[in-house]
Amino acid sequence: MASKTSEKSKPSAKVAKKAAKKVAAKRAPAKAAKPRKPLPKPKDGQPVLLSGGNPQIPKGYGDAPVQAYIAAMPGWKKDIGRRLDELIVRAVPGVNKAVKWNSPFYGMEGEGWFVSFHCFTKFVKVTFLNGGSLRPQPPGESKYPYVRYLDICEDKPFDEAQFTDWMKQASKLPGEKM
């Protein structure tokens, strides 16, 4: 005896058509990438400032690229950059430095990076890469539970003693290997 299939169990023509389109879309060749705009050219030996005033500094390891980044920070942010660098070096003797992705990074040899900072239009954002483990935690939340932020504005001083304590704590934790 032949089995009957009900009309409801058969896929409708619309559903079959949609499925065929999805399969065809997956097989379609990828669209060609749009050509990138050329990077801005530095003027008179000055580093280019990217969006928000963040300096464009070539990737490099050691103190020299970090100092070049700090020297290129615009206006009041330069003083913040110098102070952050001083506090980090004082709190964590022997700290390793690098510039990656146009931001200075600080870390411990073989342990990874624990802090970085970046210029934005109205503030300097300090990123604690293992900030979720710091006590108390830095105030800025991230979508990543282990990352925390501290935004330093021109007209709002930050707690240097607390920052120094965070640096000492962070240097003892495993950092991010990048």
Side-chain angles (χ1 to χ4, degrees):
M1 187 172 187
S3 67
K4 293 185 179 180
T5 309
S6 71
E7 288 296 316
K8 289 184 180 180
S9 67
K10 288 184 183 177
S12 70
K14 274 187 178 180
V15 172
K17 201 172 192 178
K18 275 186 181 179
K21 281 185 179 180
K22 281 184 182 179
V23 170
K26 286 182 182 177
R27 292 183 184 162
K31 292 181 184 178
K34 292 181 183 179
R36 289 185 166 188
K37 291 183 199 174
L39 292 173
K41 300 277 188 231
K43 297 176 186 172
D44 302 326
Q46 295 295 318
V48 171
L49 295 180
L50 302 171
S51 64
N54 195 53
Q56 182 180 30
I57 301 295
K59 177 181 174 180
Y61 293 87
D63 188 51
V66 171
Q67 294 309 316
Y69 176 93
I70 292 169
M73 292 172 78
W76 61 271
K77 297 171 192 167
K78 186 179 303 188
D79 292 334
I80 296 293
R82 281 190 197 118
R83 190 66 187 141
L84 291 172
D85 186 66
E86 289 170 8
L87 291 170
I88 295 167
V89 169
R90 189 178 309 144
V92 187
V95 69
N96 287 341
K97 300 179 186 184
V99 171
K100 297 168 166 263
W101 304 287
N102 298 306
S103 295
F105 281 77
Y106 297 80
M108 300 305 294
E109 177 124 16
E111 294 298 319
W113 306 103
F114 59 84
V115 72
S116 176
F117 56 90
H118 191 88
C119 290
F120 287 88
T121 303
K122 296 183 179 182
F123 56 92
V124 174
K125 182 178 284 296
V126 180
T127 303
F128 298 90
L129 300 168
N130 52 12
S133 299
L134 303 177
R135 296 293 175 252
Q137 289 184 348
E141 293 183 16
S142 170
K143 62 182 176 180
Y144 303 104
Y146 48 89
V147 175
R148 300 293 290 193
Y149 300 111
L150 174 67
D151 294 342
I152 303 173
C153 300
E154 179 179 18
D155 56 349
K156 292 182 186 174
F158 67 102
D159 185 344
E160 291 186 6
Q162 181 61 69
F163 183 82
T164 300
D165 183 53
W166 283 329
M167 290 302 92
K168 289 176 181 178
Q169 289 181 53
S171 70
K172 294 175 183 164
L173 296 169
E176 282 295 313
K177 302 199 190 252
M178 296 183 214

